[in-house]
Amino acid sequence: MEKQHRKTKGIKFIAYLYTLTMISLLCGGATFYGPQSTFQTHGPMAEMQLWVFWWTVGLSAALLLVVGGMLMYAIFKFKADPDDKSLGKEFHGGTTLEIGLIVVSSLLLLVIIVPNYVGLSYMDKIPADLGKPLKVKAIGHQWWWEFQIPELGINTANELHVPINRPIDVEVTSADVIHSFWIPKLAGKVDAMPGQKNKMWFLANAPGRYYGQCAELCGNSHAHMRFLAFAHTPENFNKWVESHKKEAAAPKDAMALKGKAVFNTGCNACHTTDGTSMSAMRGPNLANFGSRETLGAGMYENNDHRLAAWIRDPQAAKESSLMTLGEFNIDLNEQEITALVAYLNSLKSDFLESKEYKDLEKTFEKAEGTHLK
Ligand code: CUA
């Protein structure tokens, strides 16, 4: 009777623990799918990293089950009355047992170390059979990303474009504090350190739009230092390169033309609209800005209303934004803001605006729960 009671108590305890874990996971919104899920891999680097993850988690879970199971068994099986003298004597020491445990633990560590080492070596050197890598520089700024493709003479910000099925050799660095470059579906994080060039590579195996994020606390707007990575077929990538490098046509409507004049009397101290300019700028390169999906480093949907709000008061739109108009004695009236919005929207990429691309974009994996404001 007593034994039966203990058994029921044990089962109840386990059921309670299980329910609690499941509720915590559900409340935490835990899911294998989402815009930044490391479980939806799109290339060999992400696949390898996920494999190492499952291997390590799987082994740890198996160990937990075995050790925890034995502990639970011992607790319930040998839970004795303190007066019960029938149990054997406790013992101390046991050389064979201790050596045995050390050997088993070391072997288990090896089982984790080897795949991790293989993974690290894979990250270290791009396999030659993947083809000629494309070099990209990712530079973290408070709070946006600069992307350069030196061999193509391209500079852009917050929206990285790469070809599929070609290794992307990324040099990660920072212009100010420590940031971390991360595109969860393509590859793990690499720190962006000022004065240091860190290396990482990835390969996107399907056209699409992938969400990136700074993964190192870097100041007030760390959470709003996102970016998008677009992977195109090689032909489409070439079209993107061509349209990004093309000098923007003079605005057609009067408002945009006025905006251009306003831009050139202040904004151009920190921003350029020339996608081929490699000179260091304080603010993001705005080439083809009108075709970008987001503004404020992936924070907002790029629309007239948001852009106007951004220009009107950058610090209200993004905490501690370093876009300080007062510093340059820029005081814009509403008409000038409207003109600037018209001008920036007139900067379009032929490729990103083409019907062909718009149709293709519809086939991209839908990112559930988009994080845009
Ligand atoms: Cu940059 Cu966090």
Side-chain angles (χ1 to χ4, degrees):
M1 192 62 198
E2 175 69 10
K3 205 177 162 191
Q4 189 60 37
H5 177 65
R6 267 189 227 145
K7 204 173 161 188
T8 329
K9 250 175 103 179
I11 291 167
K12 265 190 186 164
F13 176 71
I14 291 168
Y16 177 68
L17 207 68
Y18 178 81
T19 315
L20 208 68
T21 312
M22 284 303 152
I23 290 174
S24 326
L25 285 176
L26 282 174
C27 292
T31 162
F32 285 108
Y33 306 100
Q36 297 183 325
S37 171
T38 48
F39 295 100
Q40 283 173 289
T41 57
H42 288 275
M45 179 59 81
E47 274 160 27
M48 181 280 293
Q49 288 168 339
L50 184 61
W51 176 76
V52 173
F53 171 82
W54 279 127
W55 182 269
T56 313
V57 168
L59 184 78
S60 311
L63 271 177
L64 180 76
L65 277 179
V66 171
V67 176
M70 280 161 74
L71 183 68
M72 283 290 185
Y73 178 76
I75 287 173
F76 290 104
K77 172 82 179 170
F78 303 112
K79 191 176 170 192
D81 184 335
D83 298 328
D84 185 355
K85 300 279 187 283
S86 66
L87 282 173
K89 259 189 171 172
E90 287 178 19
F91 72 96
H92 293 277
T95 319
T96 323
L97 181 69
E98 281 169 15
I99 291 176
L101 283 176
I102 291 170
V103 171
V104 171
S105 307
S106 309
L107 284 177
L108 287 172
L109 267 181
L110 266 183
V111 175
I112 290 181
I113 289 169
V114 172
N116 273 277
Y117 178 77
V118 171
L120 284 171
S121 313
Y122 188 70
M123 285 163 65
D124 212 33
K125 199 164 178 289
I126 304 174
D129 60 349
L130 291 180
K132 188 176 175 282
L134 179 69
K135 283 203 164 92
V136 168
K137 275 191 195 178
I139 306 161
H141 294 257
Q142 281 179 317
W143 287 275
W144 58 281
W145 289 96
E146 177 177 354
F147 298 117
Q148 297 180 358
I149 311 179
E151 66 192 76
L152 299 174
I154 277 188
N155 191 342
T156 187
N158 301 325
E159 294 192 359
L160 170 67
H161 292 257
V162 294
I164 58 162
N165 296 332
R166 183 170 173 191
I168 309 301
D169 183 2
V170 194
E171 180 185 294
V172 186
T173 188
S174 166
D176 38 49
V177 301
I178 303 176
H179 303 274
S180 185
F181 179 83
W182 189 29
I183 314 174
K185 289 185 180 182
L186 298 177
K189 308 160 187 176
V190 169
D191 274 2
M193 324 269 283
Q196 190 174 313
K197 292 170 181 173
N198 285 344
K199 285 289 198 181
M200 64 94 73
W201 70 270
F202 67 85
L203 180 149
N205 61 10
R209 181 207 293 105
Y210 303 98
Y211 286 82
Q213 168 87 46
C214 173
E216 175 69 49
L217 183 63
C218 55
N220 282 348
S221 274
H222 154 68
H224 297 131
M225 188 170 162
R226 300 159 179 160
F227 62 98
L228 288 169
F230 295 83
H232 306 286
T233 59
E235 306 78 61
N236 281 345
F237 177 68
N238 289 340
K239 286 181 196 166
W240 175 79
V241 169
E242 211 175 289
S243 61
H244 188 81
K245 291 174 85 166
K246 209 164 106 182
E247 202 184 328
K252 284 186 194 81
D253 74 276
M255 195 52 110
L257 211 58
K258 181 177 158 45
K260 186 177 182 180
V262 175
F263 186 90
N264 287 334
T265 53
C267 312
N268 60 350
C270 296
H271 297 277
T272 177
T273 58
D274 175 3
T276 63
S277 166
M278 292 292 166
S279 54
M281 281 292 196
R282 273 181 64 165
N285 184 307
L286 299 177
N288 291 315
F289 181 84
S291 293
R292 292 197 197 162
E293 291 187 18
T294 61
L295 69 90
M299 192 176 176
Y300 297 109
E301 186 188 331
N302 184 10
N303 60 37
D304 290 3
H305 166 71
R306 286 293 181 189
L307 182 56
W310 179 278
I311 298 170
R312 199 175 291 124
D313 191 348
Q315 282 74 37
K318 183 166 184 165
E319 194 175 348
S320 306
S321 163
L322 298 183
M323 180 163 152
T324 45
L325 303 184
E327 194 187 327
F328 296 93
N329 295 319
I330 298 174
D331 187 14
L332 300 165
N333 61 39
E334 279 305 309
Q335 209 202 11
E336 286 166 327
I337 292 172
T338 310
L340 269 176
V341 170
Y343 169 58
L344 290 171
N345 273 334
S346 76
L347 304 170
K348 302 265 195 199
S349 149
D350 299 343
F351 169 64
L352 297 176
E353 295 301 323
S354 67
K355 188 180 176 303
E356 179 197 359
Y357 178 72
K358 297 271 181 208
D359 287 346
L360 180 71
E361 213 184 10
K362 286 182 199 141
T363 70
F364 288 173
E365 189 171 277
K366 284 276 171 293
E368 311 93 282
T370 172
H371 55 239
L372 289 181
K373 290 192 178 182

